Amino acid sequence: QVQLVESGGGLVQAGGSLTLSCVSSGRTLDSYGLAWFRQAPGKEREFVAAISWAGGHTYYEESVKGRFTISRDNGGNTMYLQMTGLKLGDTARYYCVAAPPETNWYAQNAYWGQGTQVTVSS
């Protein structure tokens, strides 16, 4: 069993920065792909960024490219999302997810955290 716990969310002014962390417990995630999703009130959950199990490949939703950076520390079972140039539209609850290779993020054998709230103010 894997438990994912996000942290690092908070209230920040537009243009500011935050770094989210996602720590796993229960088993190593070295062989898992990792991703961040977010969900704003009244909207569907959407993909933000992903990183391959070895960390060699990263993927970003178009609106966050150049502003967000996803990374992972396999030995420490931690994933990060560095967010800079935050915009009002980035306000959402951010979730981390871990999935085995070639597995959909919403599959039964994927693991989701409870999320951390990011609020960007003007």
Side-chain angles (χ1 to χ4, degrees):
Q1 189 68 14
V2 172
Q3 287 188 322
L4 303 177
V5 179
E6 303 95 334
S7 64
L11 175 64
V12 63
Q13 285 192 321
S17 301
L18 281 175
T19 297
L20 306 184
S21 300
C22 173
V23 179
S24 69
S25 61
R27 64 175 296 171
T28 180
L29 295 181
D30 287 359
S31 61
Y32 282 66
L34 301 176
W36 289 95
F37 281 68
R38 66 186 180 186
Q39 187 168 20
K43 295 187 177 181
E44 293 187 353
R45 192 169 296 188
E46 65 174 2
F47 169 80
V48 176
I51 188 167
S52 62
W53 68 270
H57 299 281
T58 56
Y59 311 87
Y60 296 93
E61 192 272 329
E62 194 64 33
S63 70
V64 307
K65 282 182 181 178
R67 300 189 298 122
F68 290 11
T69 302
I70 188 171
S71 61
R72 66 187 295 167
D73 171 16
N74 281 345
N77 276 350
T78 304
M79 172 175 64
Y80 305 95
L81 184 68
Q82 294 176 282
M83 307 185 293
T84 63
L86 283 162
K87 304 176 181 180
L88 297 180
D90 295 319
T91 294
R93 191 164 186 83
Y94 285 70
Y95 299 86
C96 64
V97 55
E102 309 300 327
T103 301
N104 187 287
W105 299 114
Y106 292 99
Q108 278 194 332
N109 57 342
Y111 301 96
W112 288 77
Q114 294 299 305
T116 185
Q117 180 66 36
V118 172
T119 303
V120 183
S121 65
S122 59

